[in-house]
Amino acid sequence: MTSSAAHVPTAMERTLGLLAEPPAGPDPSAGYLDLLGPAAEPSPSPAQSVMRSAFLPRIYERVWRPVGFNLAKGWPIGPGTAAEHALAREWLGLGRPGAAGRPAATVLDVACGPGNVTRALAAGVAEDGLVVGLDASRTMLARAAADTFGPADAGRPSGGGVCYLRGDAAGLPFRDGTFDAVCCLGALYLFDDPWAALDGMTRVLRPGGRLVILTSRRPVELAPARIGGALVRRATGLRVFGDREVTDALDARGLTDIARRRFPLMQMVTGRRPGNTGLF
């Protein structure tokens, strides 16, 4: 009599189970699951075009993000990338990389880009946890898959399973209440409708689930600053949020335990959906 080991679902199989309408024949050959396909898309803003280019994914993690974001966060006084990721893990209720007792959390990284944040979050969950990175850019996702699943061990997460999806941040394809934690670091200001995206992030959180957002901040509310922000948005598509605009939006959606850290031109905001996941 022979016995066979029970099948352990892959990260992609587990992710398919979270979708409201799973595709009949998922194709993971690109390293990610494409839920958008070749359908016509609206013309991107100048900023969105840069994010979808073939060049930016090559320099994003080593040059674009650490230089641009760290300056906006007040370098050299403000937090660097590693400190930013550590704070995101802390606020999301995840563990420290390599530490015992990391939660078996299910986490969503919205607008994951080349997967740098996705991998940082995966390092904070247990081996049977799951982190899903979602983005609309094929070039970003191709880079994310190569760096996460490629032959170089240095690019692989040392925590839970990772799956990447090509999807719409303003119309998240998941069932209600499917994630213990959701983050969107450095992308909300790029969305055509950030409030629809925020609605979706709140919807897919389980009761007690935590949300973390890193986005732009207008440091003063004087009329010239508001006018300047409007001109930036018109020219580039980048939105500069008012000082309380994002925290007020979380409060309006019923989130509790709202907290924030201000930086010169950015802000990191967190909130919790009322209830208890039973996980944290």
Side-chain angles (χ1 to χ4, degrees):
M1 182 175 180
T2 61
S3 62
S4 59
H7 171 68
V8 177
T10 65
M12 183 162 290
E13 288 171 337
R14 295 171 63 191
T15 301
L16 287 169
L18 304 178
L19 297 176
E21 298 180 4
D27 178 10
S29 60
Y32 59 88
L33 181 63
D34 192 342
L35 300 180
L36 297 180
E41 300 178 13
S43 299
S45 68
Q48 290 169 340
S49 295
V50 171
M51 299 303 291
R52 297 176 186 179
S53 69
F55 174 69
L56 185 59
R58 302 176 188 173
I59 65 168
Y60 185 88
E61 189 168 354
R62 295 180 181 274
V63 180
W64 179 281
R65 200 178 194 285
V67 173
F69 277 51
N70 289 354
L71 288 174
K73 289 181 293 182
W75 183 88
I77 299 173
T81 302
E84 173 195 317
H85 291 170
L87 180 59
R89 285 191 295 263
E90 176 187 343
W91 278 2
L92 291 172
L94 308 182
R96 295 191 306 274
R102 289 170 292 169
T106 303
V107 184
L108 174 62
D109 181 17
V110 178
C112 66
N116 52 310
V117 174
T118 313
R119 291 187 292 275
L121 298 177
V125 306
E127 294 295 334
D128 52 348
L130 174 67
V131 181
V132 180
L134 179 142
D135 205 282
S137 168
R138 290 187 179 92
T139 56
M140 284 290 189
L141 289 170
R143 182 72 189 203
D147 287 351
T148 303
F149 310 125
D153 290 340
R156 294 178 179 172
S158 57
V162 172
C163 180
Y164 292 109
L165 299 180
R166 182 169 177 257
D168 182 5
L172 293 175
F174 307 101
R175 293 182 282 106
D176 295 355
T178 49
F179 291 95
D180 301 301
V182 175
C183 84
C184 179
L185 301 191
L188 192 69
Y189 50 77
L190 291 169
F191 300 157
D192 295 329
D193 190 346
W195 311 124
L198 193 56
D199 287 338
M201 293 182 221
T202 304
R203 176 184 62 80
V204 303
L205 271 178
R206 290 174 181 155
R210 303 174 183 184
L211 172 66
V212 169
I213 293 171
L214 175 69
T215 192
S216 59
R217 183 179 80 91
R218 187 168 59 244
V220 294
E221 292 299 331
L222 298 177
R226 292 195 298 270
I227 294 171
L231 292 175
V232 168
R233 185 184 177 198
R234 179 173 296 181
T236 67
L238 292 173
R239 184 186 296 261
V240 183
F241 292 103
D243 186 61
R244 295 194 57 84
E245 198 171 359
V246 178
T247 52
D248 287 348
L250 266 59
D251 181 68
R253 286 157 178 79
L255 273 68
T256 61
D257 301 331
I258 296 171
R260 175 175 61 160
R261 289 196 182 176
R262 292 182 179 94
F263 310 114
L265 298 175
M266 300 195 84
Q267 57 185 323
M268 202 159 181
V269 181
T270 185
R272 178 195 291 269
R273 185 174 178 183
N276 185 1
T277 63
L279 178 65
F280 301 117

